[in-house]
Amino acid sequence: MPDKPNGKMNFRDRCFIEDGVKVGLSAREMAEHLGVAKSTVCNELKRNRGPETPMLTQRGRNVCSKKDSCMVFDLCKKGCMTPCYKCKKGLCNQICSEFEASNCPKLEGFPYVCNACHERLGWGCGHPYSFYNARIADEKAAKRRSDSRKGIDCAPEDLDRVVKLVKPLMKKGQSLDHIWATHSDEIPFSKRTFYRYITKGVVNDIIPLDLPFKVRRKPNRKKKGQPEPPRHEMKGRTYLDFLDLSLEEQMSAVEMDCVVSARGSDKAILTLLFRRFHFQLMLLLNEKTQEQVAHVLDLIEGLIGLDCFKALFRVVLTDRGSEFLDFELLERGLGGGKRCKIYYCDPMKSGQKGACEKNHVELRKILPKGTSFKNLTRRDLAVACSHVNSYKRPALGGASPFQLAAQVLPEALIEGLGLELIPADEVMLKPSLISLND
């Protein structure tokens, strides 16, 4: 019989399942180790598998069931004379209206994923992949739990009855405190819950402006559910420790920082500048949090591989912003090992990573301070990044950072982020470069 109550999985359990699939454990062996039913392991794999992960993604494969008989040409409108099914980039799978995936019959049985399948190696197979990743699976499970608790926990007829009771009293100038103190035995939920229903727009006949104090209350700038990040011990990671490194290591370091949006958007831009040739990567964060920064670093590692990541990002210098404080999280690679070492500038000493700050001046010509990133997309940011890095610098002997970076950085990183060299006469550092209108 299962030992775990309700068969609930945690992150450690999911890590065991991911490793178990890799080494070929059966569903029964995994279930006995975790103390759950065999069906729980199978349902976990089927429910939380995904089409790809940062580590296990094969690109450029054609997985259409019609590829052997397809005679379509030039879907990309570039004048290509090669049949689209032979395209090495696999673009036809993304843009063809008649695309039908050739599903793998092996995914219908245990382990339901491709993690340990030898056929995905080399050129890969002709079917879409399905992978199980513990971190992504844990995020999916957490999201399902959160979504299941959204909405209202009240019968519609009960809510209508409360509205009919409360609205006439509010028109008399009575506060919700007064109403609840008088009629608490007639109302099946708390005053705070009613406030939440009004804010969500669930109550059709009452809006937030109808509440006596709602107009005068300013929203709390600190988000609920986001406590102050814990402070970590900086021993061995200060700027003085950074200066103790060899000159070669200092020059090869990557400077990391964030560019924030104006009020109205939680998005931010993570910048990573290579000191030696002033090339700066710009990546969009949905929120300015440690988890989002770690996610972006994971994506980069997935594009170029762990060995290449260690070579390019071995030393990272950043400030003491809350999004960078958990160095253990940021330094931990996709495989769980250490991929880099992070050092921190002294407080209020942004000039210690001056190259990064100076490059932000060029970015701010396109996205001036006061600009909201609400409608900023990854493609917009790739365009801005391409133009900023194609801007020639006297400090580089008249070359652009892009020209130097193209000789050093892997092509998979540049193409994976959608960057391209802009001809010198076409470089534009103006807000009109990208449109952020609704």
Side-chain angles (χ1 to χ4, degrees):
M1 293 296 291
D3 300 326
K4 190 181 290 292
N6 301 322
K8 290 184 178 179
M9 296 279 182
N10 55 36
F11 180 65
R12 181 176 295 179
D13 296 335
R14 293 187 170 96
C15 288
F16 175 80
I17 291 177
E18 181 180 0
D19 293 337
V21 170
K22 290 179 183 177
V23 300
L25 294 182
S26 67
R28 185 178 299 279
E29 289 172 324
M30 294 186 203
E32 290 177 354
H33 177 86
L34 296 174
V36 298
K38 175 183 172 182
S39 60
T40 301
V41 174
C42 295
N43 290 336
E44 169 66 22
L45 286 165
K46 289 188 285 187
R47 184 182 301 169
N48 293 326
R49 62 187 175 182
E52 61 180 43
T53 70
M55 286 184 64
L56 305 173
T57 301
Q58 294 283 354
R59 300 186 183 277
R61 301 179 307 114
N62 192 330
V63 295
C64 182
S65 60
K66 303 177 181 179
K67 63 178 180 294
D68 294 333
S69 59
C70 180
M71 296 301 296
V72 177
F73 289 81
D74 199 26
L75 279 172
C76 60
K77 307 301 181 184
K78 294 183 179 180
C80 180
M81 300 301 295
T82 304
C84 290
Y85 77 90
K86 292 185 178 181
C87 180
K88 294 182 179 180
K89 296 183 178 179
L91 291 176
C92 68
N93 289 187
Q94 304 171 30
I95 61 179
C96 181
S97 60
E98 299 185 9
F99 168 73
E100 290 183 5
S102 175
N103 295 322
C104 179
K106 292 183 179 181
L107 295 179
E108 297 177 4
F110 187 82
Y112 311 105
V113 291
C114 307
N115 293 48
C117 181
H118 67 278
E119 293 187 14
R120 70 178 178 82
L121 304 177
W123 291 103
C125 68
H127 305 288
Y129 291 147
S130 182
F131 293 116
Y132 182 83
N133 178 279
R135 180 183 296 180
I136 295 175
D138 201 56
E139 291 174 355
K140 283 185 176 181
K143 187 176 186 302
R144 277 199 304 272
R145 285 196 302 271
S146 175
D147 291 344
S148 67
R149 294 165 184 166
K150 291 181 179 178
I152 62 172
D153 187 17
C154 177
E157 53 272 17
D158 289 339
L159 183 60
D160 290 340
R161 178 174 56 80
V162 172
V163 171
K164 289 179 181 178
L165 169 65
V166 171
K167 189 173 182 180
L169 298 177
M170 289 180 62
K171 287 183 176 180
K172 296 179 180 179
Q174 296 184 14
S175 68
L176 293 188
D177 292 319
H178 178 84
I179 296 172
W180 253 253
T182 308
H183 300 278
S184 59
D185 55 338
E186 304 174 46
I187 302 176
F189 45 76
S190 68
K191 176 191 64 177
R192 185 174 179 180
T193 299
F194 191 64
Y195 266 114
R196 189 168 69 250
Y197 289 170
I198 294 174
T199 304
K200 286 183 175 182
V202 176
V203 182
N204 296 325
D205 296 333
I206 302 176
I207 62 175
L209 292 177
D210 293 331
L211 301 174
F213 298 102
K214 190 69 176 179
V215 182
R216 283 183 271 171
R217 289 178 180 166
K218 292 184 178 180
N220 192 349
R221 292 181 61 186
K222 183 178 179 180
K223 288 190 173 181
K224 293 181 179 179
Q226 291 189 357
E228 185 71 19
R231 298 288 169 176
H232 294 264
E233 176 61 41
M234 298 292 182
K235 185 176 181 180
R237 299 176 179 276
T238 66
Y239 190 69
L240 288 177
D241 297 314
F242 175 79
L243 294 179
D244 288 336
L245 299 175
S246 66
L247 184 60
E248 173 65 19
E249 289 178 304
Q250 293 181 39
M251 287 302 300
S252 300
V254 174
E255 297 181 2
M256 181 166 65
D257 202 357
C258 261
V259 177
V260 298
S261 167
R263 290 186 182 181
S265 173
D266 296 328
K267 291 182 179 179
I269 299 173
L270 179 71
T271 63
L272 297 160
L273 181 133
F274 296 90
R275 275 189 158 194
R276 193 174 293 278
F277 40 88
H278 290 209
F279 185 84
Q280 191 168 48
L281 300 177
M282 303 172 188
L283 302 108
L284 192 62
L285 304 176
N286 291 326
E287 292 180 323
K288 189 184 171 188
T289 62
Q290 298 171 138
E291 291 75 18
Q292 281 288 305
V293 174
H295 175 65
V296 167
L297 297 180
D298 287 346
L299 291 179
I300 294 175
E301 183 186 337
L303 286 174
I304 63 178
L306 179 60
D307 292 338
C308 188
F309 188 97
K310 286 182 176 180
L312 293 175
F313 299 87
R314 185 157 59 97
V315 175
V316 178
L317 178 65
T318 186
D319 56 37
R320 304 193 182 199
S322 60
E323 68 275 23
F324 302 131
L325 291 182
D326 192 349
F327 53 81
E328 292 180 349
L329 174 64
L330 305 185
E331 291 178 352
R332 185 168 59 247
L334 292 170
K338 189 173 181 178
R339 60 186 172 193
C340 62
K341 183 163 185 180
I342 297 179
Y343 292 84
Y344 295 91
C345 297
D346 296 330
M348 309 300 291
K349 294 287 185 180
S350 59
Q352 292 174 349
K353 51 180 180 59
C356 180
E357 299 291 343
K358 190 174 186 305
N359 223 49
H360 288 173
V361 175
E362 311 302 335
L363 176 60
R364 281 302 191 185
K365 293 177 181 178
I366 301 172
L367 298 170
K369 285 189 175 182
T371 300
S372 172
F373 297 164
K374 179 181 179 181
N375 298 316
L376 182 66
T377 65
R378 287 177 172 80
R379 181 56 196 157
D380 292 335
L381 191 55
V383 171
C385 184
S386 297
H387 279 257
V388 169
N389 285 299
S390 299
Y391 190 56
K392 295 187 176 183
R393 317 290 168 87
L396 300 178
S400 69
F402 207 120
Q403 291 172 314
L404 301 182
Q407 303 175 34
V408 180
L409 299 183
E411 189 176 354
L413 178 61
I414 296 176
E415 290 187 354
L417 298 179
L419 307 180
E420 58 183 356
L421 178 64
I422 308 298
D425 291 338
E426 296 178 19
V427 172
M428 179 184 293
L429 301 181
K430 293 282 187 180
S432 57
L433 175 66
I434 55 179
S435 175
L436 299 180
N437 296 328
D438 292 329

